[in-house]
Amino acid sequence: MTCYDRRDLGLLLLRLGTGGVLAAHGAQKLFGWFGGHGLEGTGQFMESVGYAPGKASATAAGLAEAGGGTLLALGLATPAAGAAAAGAMAGAAAVHMPNGFFAQEGGYEYAASLGLAAAGLAVTGPGRLSLDHAMGHVFDRGWMVPAALGVVAAGTALVVGARTRRVRRKAEGEQEALFEE
């Protein structure tokens, strides 16, 4: 086996693992599979952590995770798939950020790991053991990487920024008065 073959196998394993986990997470949100709460329950949660409207946020996150994860696992439209999944994970990381880094404390470690793996695959490409390669890379052109990552980064910044403002407004409204009147 040559180094090139080993890289292709490594990318396949990374795509299958990362994509499979992301697809399962998305299926929890969209369909309630694997112990998930479906769109209704996930929508209520999303609303409670500042993503509004909740059901639309749950749908967007579920589609980015399930769709992006499935496409990553298949190695199809890898730049868009990786960017979409990375954007969803950036939104998840924003929720967990106040708890610090480590997942055992409710931190953003897990979301960051999945997001970075997805973004890395978007940049690196799927390797030869992929549908993109089999189809002549029609959905995996060089220009698509910065375009997909740029569009998703801008959209994610807007969504996470709006969430941050909602969370701050809510926290300011719930603070106790410093002085009694």
Side-chain angles (χ1 to χ4, degrees), residues 10 19-20 23 38 51 56 59 74 86 90 92-93 98 103 107-108 111 114 129 136 143 146-147 174 178:
Y51 287 112
T59 301
L74 295 171
Y108 63 95
L114 285 173
L129 301 172
W143 64 266
E174 293 177 2
L178 294 175

Side-chain angles (χ1 to χ4, degrees), residues 98-129:
N99 301 322
F101 179 70
F102 293 104
Q104 67 198 31
E105 302 295 326
Y108 63 95
E109 167 188 23
Y110 187 61
S113 295
L114 285 173
L116 288 169
L121 286 165
V123 171
T124 303
R128 291 188 303 179
L129 301 172

Side-chain angles (χ1 to χ4, degrees), residues 13 75 83 87 89 97 106 108 135 146 160 162 169 176:
L13 293 172
M89 291 299 98
M97 191 76 68
Y108 63 95
M135 296 173 63
V160 171
R169 277 195 302 269
E176 294 180 28

Side-chain angles (χ1 to χ4, degrees), residues 79 83 122-124 140-150:
V123 171
T124 303
D140 180 33
R141 303 279 188 217
W143 64 266
M144 293 174 181
V145 175
L149 290 172

